[in-house]
Amino acid sequence: MLKQFLPNEHVKSVLDIKPEYLKQKGVKGIITDLDNTLVEWDRPSATPALINWFDEMKQNNILVTIVSNNNEERVKLFADPLQIPFIFRARKPLGPAFKRALNQMGIQKEEAVVIGDQLLTDVLGGNRSGFHTILVVPVAQTDGLATKFNRFVERRILNWFRKKGMLQWED
Ligand SMILES: [Mg+2]
């Protein structure tokens, strides 16, 4: 049952996910979370390194859609300057927003990866909808109020995986 929360891969940062690697896996599009995945939850806009990451994806014809549970104001302010399409109030772990993102990008599920920093929304949602999921270490140690309880539960699940040797994670 807990396997629903196990990501296919885990990396330290989105910046570690390279276009060459994705292309080699046949990936044409990225569905990514925003808060604490791309930037700190309270940072309004992208860092230079992240802007560079988006450019690299674009140069390699890998599409990116931001799918966030946060509100329109937050997501739009971040995504518009980058000209990255986005879906706000996505209600992850529910599936419809992922499907919408796929439709917008015009790709199949098998050609996409779901990236995020939370087991209870990003990983669970991606897994349940049948995506390849990649967990990243949260950019910040702090969270918005809505995420605090999820983190409490998440920590227990991560510890269980760790004990079973299913997930190596350095704190
Ligand atoms: Mg997040």
Side-chain angles (χ1 to χ4, degrees):
M1 200 277 287
L2 278 179
K3 278 206 173 155
Q4 295 254 60
F5 295 98
L6 190 66
N8 294 105
E9 297 181 58
H10 59 285
V11 294
K12 216 161 191 171
S13 157
V14 282
L15 303 177
D16 297 329
I17 303 169
K18 303 290 182 196
E20 297 76 27
Y21 170 72
L22 295 175
K23 272 163 74 173
Q24 178 199 312
K25 285 175 63 74
V27 172
K28 294 181 180 167
I30 294 171
I31 294 173
T32 181
D33 176 51
L34 169 55
D35 294 319
N36 273 350
T37 294
L38 296 178
V39 292
E40 294 89 341
W41 65 278
D42 54 354
R43 180 193 287 270
S45 49
T47 59
L50 194 63
I51 292 169
N52 196 45
W53 183 81
F54 281 117
D55 284 344
E56 269 177 37
M57 292 302 167
K58 198 172 190 179
Q59 281 159 22
N60 284 276
N61 299 314
I62 294 176
L63 302 165
V64 181
T65 300
I66 295 172
V67 173
S68 169
N69 283 354
N70 213 331
N71 62 46
E72 180 173 16
E73 194 191 0
R74 155 62 164 158
V75 187
K76 190 177 167 64
L77 188 70
F78 179 88
D80 271 357
L82 304 164
Q83 294 178 295
I84 300 287
F86 63 89
I87 294 170
F88 60 92
R89 291 201 201 285
R91 301 180 68 209
K92 293 176 284 184
L94 300 182
F98 295 119
K99 198 173 259 177
R100 245 170 78 205
L102 279 185
N103 289 342
Q104 286 177 13
M105 291 191 279
I107 60 171
Q108 304 296 312
K109 186 186 294 181
E110 295 72 25
E111 299 169 326
V113 291
V114 168
I115 304 173
D117 71 303
Q118 280 200 72
L119 293 185
L120 272 65
T121 53
D122 310 309
V123 174
L124 175 64
N127 283 348
R128 276 175 56 190
S129 292
F131 286 93
H132 184 90
T133 50
I134 306 176
L135 179 70
V136 302
V137 178
V139 178
Q141 291 294 312
T142 59
D143 286 294
L145 198 60
T147 303
K148 285 199 167 126
F149 177 72
N150 279 356
R151 287 287 183 215
F152 172 78
V153 179
E154 176 178 283
R155 222 158 286 138
R156 293 176 163 233
I157 300 172
L158 278 174
N159 280 335
W160 188 84
F161 283 148
R162 220 177 268 140
K163 251 186 263 164
K164 297 269 177 196
M166 293 166 90
L167 194 76
Q168 266 70 49
W169 205 257
E170 66 253 43
D171 279 312

